[in-house]
């Protein structure tokens, strides 16, 4: 399998670059610049290398750098923004601060080059830089320019080294996708052989051999990642897999039953469903502060899992639903050695396992969903929206009670039903929040005093920022009428029209 190395120098688009490569069915992996050597790069058989952007200046002391030897390995290299400046710096060129930086959409003019095969002479690219390459290194030529940047791209065709000052990975660069294609297929000569069918086949074979005759335990939350990990491992090891699903009573309507029906019924897995609603509610009684709620729920989950671990006894492997963004983030900074165990704190003392297995650690979220569908998981589970670990506990403002949880569960289900029925392209996330406010109302010609329910929906690409969704008024009206009619105890509905920032997506 051909693969591209994305060498990360602190750029904000490192994962996006890898995604762009993988979209073309070529495997890409992100590695921090100080976590790999030139010898390792050479031995791992990469067909190409991409230097990412970054916030530093290459000429400053302590700026992220790499051995100049990487430019002489015979492996094609594409430098993006800071990556281009670093390439120039390592090869003997000159990088300096410009009188005026370039930010946002800028018109570029390109020359004839393999990197720009099929790209028009003039187009729009996305710039974000203050420094620039003032003098290209010996053996390089300028292949693109802008009004303010005389070297918007450079190339040493003989050594297959290319640099672009702009960001081809973002959608704002009109022909950026084509440029990346040209680098991957024309310059690096990669084969498009990365797909989910081969991933599933290879993973099943790997874990069938690795875990043969051994016991595997998986903490099944019902979320996408752990669900897909469970389906994949079950395909590999069958009855040697045991899933423990802790139902804390704070799931959305029908989700606990869906998990059990899917994994125990459809797949015939060894699934232990622990009904822990009463013990979680008891622990949460009287607690109002959001962070305290989260800590109580997290600790109690571990306590329940410990109890099941003692019952099960010796387990050879513990399976986690870790995915690639987790791996990338854990590879930065001083915390890199402990990330792989962060989800199982407290378990080693009561469960005797020899290793953690993470079958999805090479996949992005959308790839995980694709694997889930190909393994036969129901779409409702695969396309499950982001749901906080503490569940409805952080969507109930104030003290948590069974009455409040039941009210919110019903109201949230109605809101979701109406969105699904009315909107072909639903918001990226939408849910209901039970506030701690009560208001006076009139129901059946009589005074009522019920809870105020808030509806929340956001549109976003990455959840780092989000805009409140303009849901049609008739959809909101129908949801409001149904909730106040069908859910006794709620008599007023409000809609949250706050974006992130200044708000967050969740209320707590």
């Amino acid at each position: 399998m051909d693969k591209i190395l994305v060498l990360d120098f602190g750029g904000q688009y490192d994962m996006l670059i890898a995604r762009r490569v993988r979209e073309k069915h070529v495997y890409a992996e992100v590695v921090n610049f100080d976590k790999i050597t030139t010898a390792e790069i050479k031995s791992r058989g990469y067909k190409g290398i991409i230097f990412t952007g970054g916030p530093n200046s290459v000429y400053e002391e302590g700026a992220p750098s790499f051995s100049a030897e990487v430019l002489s390995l015979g492996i094609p290299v594409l430098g993006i923004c800071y990556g281009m400046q670093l390439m120039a710096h390592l090869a003997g060129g000159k990088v300096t601060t410009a009188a005026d930086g370039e930010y946002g959409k800028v018109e570029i003019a390109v020359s004839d080059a393999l990197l720009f095969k099929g790209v028009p002479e003039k187009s729009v690219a996305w710039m974000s830089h203050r420094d620039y390459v003032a003098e290209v290194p010996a053996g390089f030529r300028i292949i693109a320019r802008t009004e303010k940047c005389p070297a918007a791209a450079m190339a040493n065709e003989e050594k297959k080294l290319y640099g672009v000052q702009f960001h081809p990975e973002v959608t704002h660069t009109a022909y950026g996708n084509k440029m990346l294609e040209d680098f991957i297929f024309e310059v690096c000569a990669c084969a498009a052989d990365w797909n989910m069918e081969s991933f599933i086949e290879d993973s099943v074979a790997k874990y069938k051999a690795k875990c043969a005759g051994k016991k595997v335990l998986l903490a099944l939350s019902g979320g996408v990642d752990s669900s897909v990990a469970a389906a994949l491992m079950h395909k590999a090891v069958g009855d040697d897999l045991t899933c423990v699903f802790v139902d804390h009573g704070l799931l959305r309507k029908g989700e606990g039953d869906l998990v059990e029906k899917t994994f125990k019924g459809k797949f015939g897995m060894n699934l232990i469903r622990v009904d822990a609603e009463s013990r979680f509610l008891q622990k949460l009684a009287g607690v109002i502060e959001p962070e305290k709620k989260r800590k109580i729920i997290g600790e109690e989950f571990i306590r329940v899992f410990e109890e099941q671990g003692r019952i099960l006894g010796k387990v050879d492997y513990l399976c986690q639903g870790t995915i690639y963004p987790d791996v990338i983030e854990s590879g930065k900074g001083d915390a890199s050695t402990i990330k792989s165990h962060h989800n199982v704190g407290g378990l080693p003392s009561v469960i005797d396992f020899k290793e953690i297995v993470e079958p999805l650690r090479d996949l992005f979220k959308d790839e995980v969903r694709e694997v889930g569908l190909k393994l036969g998981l129901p779409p409702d589970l695969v396309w499950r929206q982001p749901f906080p670990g503490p569940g409805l506990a952080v969507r109930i403002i104030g003290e948590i009670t069974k009455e409040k949880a039941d009210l919110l569960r019903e109201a949230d289900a109605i809101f979701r039903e109406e969105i699904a029925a009315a909107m072909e392209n639903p918001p990226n996330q939408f849910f209901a929040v039970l506030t701690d406010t009560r208001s006076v109302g009139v129901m059946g010609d009589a005074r009522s005093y019920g809870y105020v329910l808030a509806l929340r929906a956001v549109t976003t690409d990455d959840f780092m920022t989000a805009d409140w969704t303009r849901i049609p008024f008739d959809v909101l009206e129908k949801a409001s009428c149904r909730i106040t009619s069908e859910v006794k105890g709620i008599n007023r509905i409000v809609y949250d029209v706050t974006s992130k920032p200044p708000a967050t997506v969740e209320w707590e």
Side-chain angles (χ1 to χ4, degrees):
M1 177 182 68
D2 290 344
K3 54 187 178 181
I4 298 288
L5 169 65
V6 179
L7 201 57
D8 183 16
F9 293 96
Q12 59 179 317
Y13 300 126
D14 53 358
M15 284 194 282
L16 180 57
I17 294 170
R19 281 298 303 124
R20 292 288 182 254
V21 176
R22 291 193 186 188
E23 286 169 358
K24 297 161 191 18
H25 301 291
V26 175
Y27 182 68
E29 59 186 14
V30 181
V31 180
N32 209 47
F33 74 95
D34 60 354
K35 302 297 182 184
I36 193 169
T37 65
T38 51
E40 289 171 328
I41 290 175
K42 192 172 182 178
S43 68
R44 293 181 187 180
Y46 294 109
K47 292 293 291 285
I49 303 168
I50 298 177
F51 289 178
T52 73
N56 301 89
S57 295
V58 296
Y59 47 78
E60 291 179 345
E61 185 177 352
S65 190
F66 206 74
S67 170
E69 185 185 355
V70 72
L71 304 180
S72 302
L73 294 177
I75 303 173
V77 181
L78 171 63
I80 296 175
C81 197
Y82 179 88
M84 170 177 165
Q85 296 165 15
L86 179 62
M87 179 185 288
H89 184 69
L90 295 176
K94 182 181 179 181
V95 179
T96 188
T97 301
D100 294 307
E102 289 180 302
Y103 303 95
K105 293 181 180 180
V106 176
E107 185 178 77
I108 60 167
V110 304
S111 304
D112 181 47
L114 195 57
L115 188 66
F116 300 141
K117 185 178 180 180
V119 176
E121 182 181 349
K122 291 187 177 181
S123 62
V124 173
W126 185 263
M127 290 281 196
S128 181
H129 71 103
R130 168 70 66 177
D131 292 342
Y132 76 111
V133 177
E135 295 177 12
V136 299
F140 284 76
R141 70 183 179 96
I142 294 173
I143 57 173
R145 64 182 68 245
T146 71
E147 182 180 351
K148 294 182 178 180
C149 186
M154 65 181 190
N156 181 326
E157 283 98 342
E158 182 182 354
K159 292 187 175 181
K160 297 184 178 181
L161 305 177
Y162 294 84
V164 293
Q165 186 57 66
F166 51 87
H167 289 272
E169 70 274 22
V170 303
T171 56
H172 306 291
T173 298
Y175 290 88
N177 198 45
K178 182 67 175 68
M179 297 170 193
L180 289 174
E181 278 186 6
D182 289 342
F183 177 71
I184 294 165
F185 299 116
E186 300 292 338
V187 178
C188 301
C190 288
D193 54 6
W194 165 252
N195 56 64
M196 293 304 101
E197 287 86 354
S198 62
F199 171 81
I200 293 172
E201 183 179 335
D202 292 346
S203 297
V204 169
K206 172 184 175 180
Y207 290 108
K208 184 175 288 186
K210 181 182 181 71
C211 305
K214 306 295 183 181
K215 297 297 181 183
V216 182
L217 181 65
L218 185 144
L220 183 63
S221 69
V224 178
D225 301 335
S226 66
S227 296
V228 175
L232 186 63
M233 289 303 294
H234 183 255
K235 191 173 179 67
V237 304
D239 289 342
D240 287 330
L241 174 70
T242 298
C243 297
V244 177
F245 172 51
V246 180
D247 187 346
H248 49 36
L250 296 164
L251 297 171
R252 289 176 290 200
K253 186 177 181 179
E255 285 191 333
D257 293 338
L258 174 62
V259 169
E260 184 171 15
K261 180 180 178 182
T262 299
F263 294 101
K264 201 170 186 177
K266 180 177 180 179
F267 288 96
M269 292 187 191
N270 296 322
L271 174 69
I272 300 172
R273 179 177 179 178
V274 183
D275 182 1
E277 179 183 47
S278 59
R279 64 185 290 174
F280 273 84
L281 291 178
Q282 187 176 23
K283 289 284 185 179
L284 290 165
V287 178
I288 296 175
E289 207 277 317
E291 281 307 302
K292 191 172 180 181
K293 291 179 186 177
R294 291 176 183 273
K295 289 177 181 178
I296 289 172
I297 291 171
E299 181 178 348
E300 194 63 16
F301 179 86
I302 295 299
R303 299 288 83 81
V304 175
F305 202 80
E306 283 178 340
E307 292 170 8
Q308 295 301 314
R310 292 189 183 97
I311 295 171
L312 291 168
K314 180 179 174 56
V315 175
D316 298 286
Y317 295 100
L318 185 67
C319 183
Q320 287 191 159
T322 306
I323 64 175
Y324 199 49
D326 300 330
V327 176
I328 294 171
E329 290 169 5
S330 70
K332 297 180 180 179
D334 298 330
S336 59
T337 59
I338 62 171
K339 176 68 173 183
S340 62
H341 296 270
H342 80 287
N343 287 330
V344 290
L347 299 183
S349 63
V350 296
I351 300 177
D352 182 17
F353 65 89
K354 67 178 182 180
E355 189 177 337
I356 295 172
V357 295
E358 299 168 320
L360 307 179
R361 64 178 286 114
D362 291 330
L363 302 186
F364 286 100
K365 194 75 168 187
D366 56 336
E367 294 170 330
V368 172
R369 295 187 195 279
E370 187 179 348
V371 168
L373 291 173
K374 291 185 181 300
L375 288 170
L377 290 176
D380 285 351
L381 193 58
V382 171
W383 292 105
R384 184 178 189 259
Q385 287 194 357
F387 191 55
L392 298 179
V394 293
R395 293 178 181 172
I396 297 173
I397 310 303
E399 183 181 5
I400 298 169
T401 65
K402 179 171 173 52
E403 176 202 13
K404 287 183 176 180
D406 290 342
L407 285 178
L408 179 55
R409 210 175 342 259
E410 292 299 323
D412 182 77
I414 291 172
F415 183 42
R416 300 177 67 76
E417 287 171 9
E418 292 305 321
I419 291 290
M423 300 181 70
E424 186 175 344
N425 296 307
N428 298 104
Q429 190 168 3
F430 52 96
F431 53 88
V433 176
L434 189 66
T435 75
D436 202 27
T437 300
R438 294 198 180 201
S439 71
V440 174
V442 179
M443 304 184 80
D445 294 326
R447 178 185 186 275
S448 68
Y449 191 60
Y451 285 104
V452 176
L453 184 86
L455 303 180
R456 175 76 159 147
V458 297
T459 303
T460 179
D461 290 328
D462 55 13
F463 287 91
M464 299 300 292
T465 61
D467 191 19
W468 65 274
T469 306
R470 278 66 173 171
I471 293 177
F473 287 159
D474 59 334
V475 178
L476 290 173
E477 180 183 28
K478 188 171 182 182
S480 175
C481 289
R482 281 196 60 196
I483 292 169
T484 53
S485 298
E486 299 175 27
V487 184
K488 187 177 180 181
I490 297 174
N491 69 354
R492 190 179 299 269
I493 311 296
V494 297
Y495 186 55
D496 186 344
V497 294
T498 318
S499 295
K500 175 186 179 182
T504 57
V505 175
E506 297 288 344
W507 275 40
E508 288 192 343

